[in-house]
Amino acid sequence: MSKSTDLRPKPRSSLLSARLGLVGLTALGAAVSLSTGCLQRPIERTTPETNNVFVEQYQNTAITQIDLLFMIDNSRSMADKQTVLALAVPQLLAQLVNPRCIKPRPSVKSDGTPETDATPLDAKVMTSPTEACDVANGYKREFNPVNDIHIGIVTSSIGSVASGVCPEDVENTNDKGWLIGALPRGKAASGTGAPFLTWKPANPKDVSAAQIDDSKAQFKSFVTSAGEVGCGYEAILEAWYRFLVNPKPSARIDRSIKDAVDSAFESKDLDLELLKQRAQFLRAGSLVAVIMLADENDASFRQYGVAAYVQSALAGAMTRASSACDTNPNDPCCYNCSVLLPDANGVQPPPPAGCSADPICRGGTANLGEMADQPNLRAFDEKRRYGYDFLYPTSRYVVGLTARELCPDSDYGDMDCSCAAAKAVGVGCNAHTETKVPNPLYSVLDKQDTSSPRADSSMVFLAGIVGVPWQLIATEDSQAAGKPLQFKLAAALDWGKIVGDRAKNKLPGDPHMIETPELRKGLQGPDAGLMADPIHGHDYNTIGGQGLDDLQYACIFPLPASKDCGPCPAGTKETDTACSDFRLSCDCTDALTDKRKKPLCQDPTGAITTVQYYAKAYPGIRQLEVLRDFNTTSVGQNSIVASICPKTLAGDSQDPGYGYNPAVASIIQRLKEKLSGRCLSRSLEPDKATGKLPCSIVEALKEGSPSCNNCAASGREEVDDVLAEPVRRELAKAMVCDVLDRPACSSMCLCKIGQSTGTDLKACQNEGEAVLNGLKPGYCYVDPAKGIGSPDLVATCPPTEKRLLRFAGKSVPAPNSYTFIACAGAAYKE
């Protein structure tokens, strides 16, 4: 018999669970690449001391492996977005394997007038990666073609904690967090039987356009196989987290039901199949990019305790929250009224310490009622309405992308061993650090994988194509008609406008991003004309005769082809599942009868019809919170934000502005900073007298490697204890050594690459790559803005990173070495 997995935090006493949960619930089950090429802090010149050296692993070569994981929402209404995505994502693959030929655009035109086009490069798309660029006219590849790519897809459906709402044993409603290629519909779409797609040509020097086209077609069918009949509880964040990060994914969750008071949920076994897929998909040294596509807010319910009851509560209404929650969900006296429910002896317990027994709770029996408690919307504004957080904290996903170690039994639910997020909001937290485990994202999962594990989050990117109007996140000049959309960098976004601040009880500053069923102040109402608001049309009546039915939209966009929601699809009858599925996925079936006046259903005259002309998206607040926090936490600010409401679906699907092509362009723009390698985000300050940097480059090799213990033989220098100690610490942090079956860090051989001097220095800072191999081993710093080196060497670096370190000499840094930049000075640490 297999052991059960202890799933913390454990449910509280059965009576307390019932109190915090439901009133009237009687049953469950109703319907090796190196780390970073960017220096994140400024450097000042100081005298090195043992405790005054900052070391950072350095990416000295371009990335050669990429693992792309798509999380696709497969709930109702997603088919139209998946179709648009299916046109765009193959272009992502095409640009990675066949980079454009580019050249910098001059600052002035040929007639002497200033260049006003914001695009800094002229670009040409070649038929294949083997076709030569027009070198004579200054063109060269944007980055080296990537010839080793894994592409996986997971969906937002991971069941509903054994509740029966989204059956655990039904594909589509529970895809388990498995890669879609491991599921029957994914196998049929891929035609390979593999859980994920792979691009790894046998002969990279002979890749044809036909090979690329075949892979694009395969990728396209893979995307649409996600479907749109999945679980209504869209676990948008938890789905990719479960596959990529969760160290203890459960195979199933059993339920034990005696009555409404005595029920329990228990995680059983480990999902060994998921762990196997993860080990096959995720390489230790690859660049990892997670790309979310979703038109709704995340509903990642906790898989234990009260949250498990919530998803199954289709009979009986949820107990409401105390009145303090209406004003401020963060108030200590915001609690669920059921905590006042009398115990088995009829004794009413006291309210939380320092709070009064709120009369609105009626002794624990007050519930929200059908008008405010639609089961499919239980994840919406749950703390304000119920006084309880049913969802995992968003810090869970930021920690999962950034922390080297996780504490899976933390009772706060984010696996953070430091409890930082819990402490920040004043919530108690026991991390249970005795069960600390390595984060799979920063580990070697396959024994055959010999690459160095990712040292930090500079190798991890998170992109979201989510519910946010493009008008709020695009550059000003690209919003004009006819201009291809360009999205701002995450650091330049007005996060207060699109997300607000839940910790401070601040709603988003733009009303389109306020998640609510109510009519929003400052926006057009239900009686407004066709597209009276160019972003979302107008608000509509979400509360009708059947109670709370829906939320207001963040944005809408015209469908490429309208669809009549009235009749069943051709060849089906009213009683057919295909007809009911179609009706559920169509937004205008009740457009006339319930007077909701949805903007999706307005014909060109503005009349409300049963024909759907527009697609919708809701505010993706939780995804945006994770993108915001990961951007400020990650090394390199690696978040990418795009809108699921495209600016245009007219014209050629290959045009830069069509559909989600602008989102793909943003992803490529960020990834190429790693694919190009070596460009530095911070300027360094050489000594004015000697021209040398206050830094050293250190190579680390495993014992037994050529030149090990004999630095001079390879033109290197010995490393003293001032440098050796912090470098060995970083090697241990990167899990290169002192972990599992890897060597002891003390056995690693360290050599220092000296800075080039004299004519070698001049050549290193000005000549092309062909010259470097003939120079003595060394390195140099190129920063044309400071008059150091040739501008041609940094022409393809991002505009704010026109500087780099170059390596001279053959095999510098040494093959299979781990390279670190070590700089003196406390200022570098700040």
Side-chain angles (χ1 to χ4, degrees), residues 27 57 69 86 90-91 128 154 174 219 246 280 303 311 352-353 449 493 531 539 560 606 663 734 753 771 788 806 815:
Q57 200 172 351
L69 181 67
Q91 295 189 51
S128 77
V154 296
N174 183 16
F219 195 4
N246 191 343
Q280 292 173 338
Q303 295 192 328
Q311 297 174 73
D449 189 350
L493 293 176
M531 292 304 293
D539 279 0
I753 301 172
V771 175
I788 305 173
R806 298 188 85 203

Side-chain angles (χ1 to χ4, degrees), residues 154-418:
V154 296
T155 76
S156 59
S157 296
I158 57 174
S160 55
V161 197
S163 71
V165 176
C166 298
E168 304 297 301
D169 56 351
V170 176
E171 188 185 355
N172 290 296
T173 60
N174 183 16
D175 288 332
K176 306 177 184 179
W178 290 9
L179 293 170
I180 204 167
L183 303 171
R185 67 187 191 278
K187 290 179 180 179
S190 72
T192 66
F196 55 89
L197 301 180
T198 300
W199 172 265
K200 193 172 184 179
N203 185 1
K205 295 183 179 180
D206 190 27
V207 175
S208 67
Q211 285 177 282
I212 298 174
D213 287 343
D214 287 346
S215 292
K216 287 166 62 177
Q218 191 181 33
F219 195 4
K220 182 176 179 180
S221 64
F222 227 39
V223 170
T224 54
S225 71
E228 64 160 351
V229 291
C231 184
Y233 295 129
E234 298 88 352
I236 295 158
L237 296 169
E238 190 65 20
W240 62 255
Y241 180 90
R242 173 179 164 81
F243 173 74
L244 205 60
V245 178
N246 191 343
K248 296 167 62 176
S250 57
R252 70 185 191 277
I253 297 177
D254 286 358
R255 61 190 184 196
S256 171
I257 308 168
K258 295 181 180 178
D259 52 42
V261 173
D262 194 357
S263 300
F265 293 82
E266 185 178 18
S267 174
K268 291 287 187 179
D269 309 321
L270 286 175
D271 190 335
L272 298 180
E273 174 60 28
L274 185 147
L275 295 176
K276 175 184 173 182
Q277 293 175 27
R278 179 193 291 167
Q280 292 173 338
F281 175 81
L282 185 63
R283 276 82 62 85
S286 65
L287 183 152
V288 175
V290 180
I291 302 171
M292 303 177 287
L293 178 82
D295 66 355
E296 295 192 48
N297 200 7
D298 170 66
S300 292
F301 281 88
R302 299 174 190 256
Q303 295 192 328
Y304 47 79
V306 179
Y309 292 99
V310 171
Q311 297 174 73
S312 60
L314 300 183
M318 281 287 296
T319 312
R320 66 154 292 149
S322 64
S323 55
C325 301
D326 295 335
T327 305
N328 181 10
N330 302 318
D331 192 305
C333 292
C334 173
Y335 56 85
N336 186 276
C337 284
S338 62
V339 301
L340 302 179
L341 195 67
D343 63 19
N345 298 317
V347 178
Q348 181 173 315
C355 305
S356 61
D358 195 330
I360 201 170
C361 291
R362 298 202 306 273
T365 62
N367 61 56
L368 289 174
E370 288 185 357
M371 290 298 288
D373 184 31
Q374 209 269 8
N376 194 47
L377 296 177
R378 290 254 160 87
F380 149 65
D381 205 14
E382 80 281 10
K383 185 67 183 297
R384 189 184 303 274
R385 296 193 298 147
Y386 303 113
Y388 188 83
D389 285 321
F390 302 140
L391 309 182
Y392 283 114
T394 54
S395 58
R396 175 182 179 89
Y397 309 103
V398 180
V399 169
L401 292 175
T402 57
R404 285 196 182 98
E405 295 179 309
L406 301 174
C407 288
D409 297 327
S410 167
D411 56 18
Y412 184 62
D414 65 358
M415 298 199 192
D416 182 11
C417 298
S418 72

